[in-house]
């Protein structure tokens, strides 16, 4: 049987794609186990409903779990604290149900009890959040310790994950109003000046525009008042785009050379007018322009000489 | 030899050509300005460049549709029909004329008539410009006006990025066409002779 060349090409490409997918799937299969002791807690907190034996009434009861206290065990296992037991941070005394009432008002362990976040704390202190809410404003409001992770590889996922940290409150009236009596901001309306809004939302993080522009990584914690947010398109859409110091900081660190054609044309998965310049494309276009003018100039010179 | 006057460029064509030229120049300037924008010294303020580029882009779509349809109705499209047999030979002959024959004052290898108003090189470059480059830039341009609709990923490449690549590529070659076009029309008895034709419609030889 004779197979036409384009069909062969398609078959080979599909085959390569399949292999690529299988290899990727295998990479992801490495399993991390939930610490044994967490099962006690997740038995109830891992579900929307929980059941217990009520000794007073002598019946098995089934109740609705407060949705804000439900722990998604999959996100937990993907998060940075995946190996930790609940009781590493929460009191061991939670082991009984009903939980002891005093535990609710006892001071909890906080992030800085384990982590050294001095530099970040300095930036957070300048943030509008701190100004508005003072010491109420804690890391975990944005970085849920039950799922927080550093997304690095996939840009789209990185952006989505990061923006959800903000949207968690800014798009949830109930959570938002724990801290303020303001109405929930109408994000789509306040950002309606932004062209191609959906694309911007999917490809850049809120903090690109809403944090102070400096070159320290910690400065992303300095959320500026809305009047100071970046609104000039040119700040990002420019050769010296501020995204170089923000969203693309990691990527650029890994690849400082502007001579890497493959990287800058294919790997970057977004297009930013004015900021996606490629050394080779620039060179080739200048060359073609140059040759065109050179040709015209030479012809003109001959025309002038011959006319005499 | 008596001067012959041929009416080659009807009013609609001249109006289209003027609008088209103006649009292409504006699109070129704003396009380059956006691509090489720089916050300290933008050629044109970025936001204005985007607005002008979008607006003029829409105008040129209408203008192109007009050219396309009017060309068919009036029959002007026949001048854009490429006869492939012996084409290379004819192109070579015309090229040779521009490079050598013209400079030596030899006669033109192809005479302009009402049936054949373009020489082979003109014909090929006009077909390339009007039926390849401009449609390519318009199709990719319309897609970029509604970027949410472009497929997100073409394997590992961003769909938008790929579209912008072809958009700027086609735009770039239209500008190269324009530069050469502008130069080649000065080749004649008098540098402004051809320019006069596209204004008053008459070709004089
Ligand atoms: C300031 C800019 C321009 C000037 C002064 C100019 C001038 C001329 C002249 C003098 C002619 C008639 C000579 C000939 O047939 O070769 C012509 C024809 C033509 N020009 Fe241009 N041009 C300009 C821009 C453009 C641009 C931007 C395009 C397309 C992207 C274009 C496409 C054409 C085409 C297709 C024809 C042939 C029209 C026909 O007879 O069907 N021109 N132009």
């Amino acid at each position: 049987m004779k197979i036409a060349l384009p069909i062969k090409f398609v078959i080979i490409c599909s085959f390569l794609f399949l292999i690529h997918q299988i290899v990727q799937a295998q990479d992801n299969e490495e399993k991390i186990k939930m610490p044994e002791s967490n099962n006690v807690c997740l038995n109830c907190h891992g579900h929307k409903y929980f059941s217990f034996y009520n000794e007073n009434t002598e019946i098995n009861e089934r109740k609705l779990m407060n949705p804000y206290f439900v722990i998604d065990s999959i996100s937990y296992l993907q998060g940075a604290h995946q190996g930790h037991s609940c009781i590493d941070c929460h009191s061991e005394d939670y082991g009984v149900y009903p939980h002891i009432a005093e535990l609710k008002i006892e001071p909890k362990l906080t992030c800085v009890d384990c982590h050294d976040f001095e530099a970040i704390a300095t930036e957070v202190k300048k943030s509008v959040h701190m100004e508005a809410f003072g010491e109420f404003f804690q890391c975990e409001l944005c970085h849920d310790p039950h799922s927080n992770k550093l997304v690095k590889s996939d840009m789209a996922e990185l952006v989505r994950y990061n923006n959800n940290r903000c949207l968690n409150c800014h798009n949830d009236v109930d959570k938002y109003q724990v801290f303020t009596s303001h109405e929930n901001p109408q994000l789509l309306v306040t950002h309606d000046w932004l062209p191609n809004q959906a694309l911007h939302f999917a490809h850049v993080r809120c903090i690109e525009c809403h944090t102070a522009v400096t070159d320290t990584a910690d400065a992303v914690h300095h959320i500026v008042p809305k009047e100071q947010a970046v609104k000039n398109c040119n700040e990002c859409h420019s050769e010296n785009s501020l995204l170089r110091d923000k969203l693309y900081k990691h990527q650029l660190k890994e690849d400082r050379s502007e001579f890497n054609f493959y990287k800058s044309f294919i790997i970057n998965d977004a297009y930013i007018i004015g900021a996606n310049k490629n050394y080779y494309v620039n060179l080739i276009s200048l060359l073609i322009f140059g040759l065109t003018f050179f040709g015209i100039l030479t012809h003109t010179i001959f025309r002038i000489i011959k006319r005499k | 030899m008596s001067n012959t006057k041929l009416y080659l460029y009807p009013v609609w064509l001249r109006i289209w050509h003027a609008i088209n030229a103006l649009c292409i120049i504006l699109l070129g300037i704003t396009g380059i300005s956006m691509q090489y924008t720089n916050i300290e010294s933008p050629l044109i303020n970025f936001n204005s460049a985007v607005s002008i580029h979008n607006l003029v882009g829409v105008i040129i779509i209408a203008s192109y549709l007009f050219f396309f349809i009017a060309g068919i109705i009036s029959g002007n499209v026949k001048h854009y029909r490429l006869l492939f047999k012996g084409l290379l030979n004819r192109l070579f002959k015309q090229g040779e004329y521009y490079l050598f024959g013209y400079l030596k004052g030899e006669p033109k290898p192809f005479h302009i008539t009402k049936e054949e108003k373009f020489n082979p090189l003109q014909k090929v470059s006009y077909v390339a410009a009007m039926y390849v480059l401009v449609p390519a830039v318009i199709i990719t341009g319309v897609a970029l006006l509604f970027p949410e609709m472009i497929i997100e990923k073409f394997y590992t490449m961003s769909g938008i990025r790929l579209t912008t690549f072809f958009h700027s590529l086609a735009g770039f070659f239209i500008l190269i066409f324009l530069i050469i076009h502008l130069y080649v029309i000065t080749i004649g008895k008098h540098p402004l002779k051809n320019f006069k034709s596209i204004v008053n419609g008459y070709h004089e030889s």
Side-chain angles (χ1 to χ4, degrees):
Chain A
M1 189 177 66
K2 253 196 161 166
I3 303 174
L5 200 63
I7 298 179
K8 265 189 205 159
F9 180 73
V10 170
I11 293 175
I12 292 173
C13 285
S14 324
F15 185 67
L16 290 177
F17 181 72
L18 200 71
I19 292 181
H20 175 239
Q21 294 296 316
I22 292 171
V23 170
Q24 241 187 5
Q26 280 175 344
D27 278 352
N28 294 341
E29 258 181 24
E30 221 181 285
K31 281 213 174 79
I32 295 139
K33 280 225 171 83
M34 183 68 85
E36 196 83 31
S37 63
N38 288 0
N39 290 343
V40 183
C41 313
L42 290 175
N43 223 353
C44 294
H45 284 280
H47 308 277
K48 284 184 187 166
Y49 301 94
F50 65 103
S51 321
F52 64 98
Y53 179 68
N54 187 334
E55 285 173 357
N56 296 337
T57 57
E58 297 189 341
I59 46 173
N60 273 317
E61 285 193 37
R62 187 169 149 85
K63 292 200 162 210
L64 188 65
M65 174 62 78
N66 177 340
Y68 291 105
F69 295 163
V70 176
I71 302 300
D72 177 356
S73 50
I74 294 177
S75 315
Y76 189 89
L77 286 176
Q78 289 168 346
H81 292 130
Q82 51 185 221
H84 284 271
S85 308
C86 306
I87 53 173
D88 286 348
C89 305
H90 299 279
S91 166
E92 219 169 327
D93 300 339
Y94 274 109
V96 292
Y97 187 81
H99 298 318
I100 304 162
E102 278 75 36
L103 288 176
K104 261 207 153 41
I105 50 173
E106 231 173 50
K108 271 185 288 198
L109 279 185
T110 63
C111 305
V112 289
D113 287 314
C114 296
H115 299 273
D116 174 16
F117 286 152
E118 204 57 49
I120 292 177
T122 318
E123 299 297 330
V124 174
K125 288 208 176 90
K126 302 181 212 156
S127 159
V128 278
H129 285 135
M130 201 61 137
E131 272 169 36
F133 318 125
E135 297 294 324
F136 278 130
F137 202 78
Q138 296 290 327
C139 312
E140 66 260 28
L141 284 173
C142 308
H143 304 276
D144 181 354
H146 304 104
S147 60
N148 194 60
K149 62 183 173 186
L150 197 63
V151 185
K152 250 183 172 177
S153 49
D154 179 352
M155 274 296 186
E157 171 61 13
L158 183 152
V159 168
R160 196 191 59 78
Y161 184 78
N162 263 277
N163 287 350
N164 275 342
R165 285 187 181 141
C166 310
L167 296 176
N168 226 349
C169 289
H170 286 270
N171 207 20
D172 178 340
V173 195
D174 296 340
K175 275 190 159 179
Y176 192 68
Q177 293 190 336
V178 173
F179 296 98
T180 174
S181 52
H182 290 174
E183 297 218 346
N184 211 25
Q186 301 291 313
L187 296 183
L188 297 185
V189 179
T190 53
H191 291 89
D192 67 355
W193 61 274
L194 195 60
N196 301 315
Q197 200 188 55
L199 279 175
H200 276 100
F201 284 177
H203 290 281
V204 285
R205 301 167 303 177
C206 311
I207 56 175
E208 292 354 317
C209 304
H210 290 279
T211 62
V213 187
T214 64
D215 51 6
T216 73
D218 305 318
V220 295
H221 289 91
H222 176 185
I223 316 285
V224 296
K226 63 172 184 281
E227 298 75 25
Q228 289 169 29
V230 172
K231 214 176 172 182
N232 180 352
C233 310
N234 228 176
E235 300 255 9
C236 291
H237 291 281
S238 155
E239 186 170 14
N240 29 17
S241 172
L242 67 80
L243 294 177
R244 281 172 174 269
D245 276 331
K246 292 194 165 175
L247 187 58
Y248 292 105
K249 202 181 172 84
H250 277 297
Q251 216 175 4
L252 288 170
K253 232 185 235 160
E254 279 163 27
D255 174 31
R256 282 208 168 274
S257 115
E258 57 181 328
F259 299 98
N260 196 329
F261 181 83
Y262 185 74
K263 265 255 161 74
S264 57
F265 178 59
I266 300 178
I267 303 286
N268 268 6
D269 45 10
Y271 179 77
I272 309 148
I273 307 170
N276 288 78
K277 250 159 285 172
N278 178 280
Y279 179 79
Y280 288 104
V281 173
N282 277 358
L283 196 71
I284 294 168
S285 35
L286 270 179
L287 206 72
I288 298 177
F289 261 124
L291 282 175
T292 311
F293 280 117
F294 179 75
I296 288 174
L297 193 72
T298 321
H299 199 262
T300 312
I301 291 171
F302 274 105
R303 270 170 82 179
I304 294 168
I305 295 171
K306 291 280 171 178
R307 196 167 346 131
K308 280 178 190 160
Chain B
M1 209 172 77
S2 69
N3 269 6
T4 45
K5 262 184 153 193
L6 288 174
Y7 188 59
L8 296 184
Y9 312 107
V11 179
W12 70 264
L13 188 72
R14 283 177 276 151
I15 293 175
W16 161 78
H17 185 268
I19 293 174
N20 184 62
L22 197 70
C23 287
I24 292 281
I25 290 168
L26 280 173
L27 288 166
I29 294 173
T30 51
I32 290 173
S33 169
M34 284 191 283
Q35 177 74 4
Y36 294 93
T37 184
N38 181 315
I39 194 155
E40 283 102 40
S41 54
L43 185 58
I44 298 171
N45 164 290
F46 182 78
N47 297 22
S48 323
V50 172
S51 312
I52 297 171
H53 201 81
N54 287 349
L55 178 73
V56 178
V58 172
I59 296 174
I60 210 170
I61 295 172
S63 148
Y64 182 76
L65 286 178
F66 172 71
F67 168 82
F68 193 87
I69 295 165
I72 295 172
I73 295 173
S74 69
N76 189 54
V77 67
K78 73 165 186 266
H79 296 288
Y80 293 80
R81 221 156 265 153
L82 283 177
L83 191 66
F84 286 101
K85 202 163 157 242
L87 181 65
L88 270 178
N89 248 335
R90 275 173 282 142
L91 286 177
F92 199 70
K93 224 165 152 186
Q94 181 67 29
E96 207 179 1
Y97 168 73
Y98 277 144
L99 289 183
F100 310 108
Y102 164 73
L103 295 173
K104 288 188 207 149
E106 284 170 12
K108 288 182 196 161
F110 300 94
H111 277 279
I112 293 176
T113 64
K114 245 187 136 46
E115 281 64 46
E116 277 291 342
K117 68 171 163 179
F118 301 143
N119 70 47
L121 271 178
Q122 267 179 320
K123 196 178 221 177
V124 167
S125 60
Y126 290 166
V127 168
M130 296 319 299
Y131 292 97
V132 180
L133 294 176
V134 174
V137 96
I138 285 179
I139 292 167
T140 50
V142 170
L144 289 168
L145 266 185
F146 306 99
E148 284 93 348
M149 287 176 9
I150 298 175
I151 52 161
E152 201 150 312
K153 278 265 146 88
F154 184 77
Y155 196 45
T156 56
M157 282 171 274
S158 143
I160 293 182
R161 190 145 192 188
L162 214 57
T163 315
T164 54
F165 177 74
F166 287 115
H167 188 72
S168 6
L169 191 74
F172 173 79
F173 282 109
I174 290 176
L175 292 185
I176 295 285
F177 163 84
L178 177 60
I179 295 169
I180 299 174
H181 182 54
L182 283 177
Y183 179 68
V184 172
I185 58 165
T186 67
I187 299 179
K189 277 205 194 108
H190 183 274
L192 287 180
K193 191 203 82 175
N194 283 327
F195 186 73
K196 246 163 63 195
S197 334
I198 203 73
V199 175
N200 64 22
Y202 287 96
H203 173 89
E204 289 177 50
S205 60

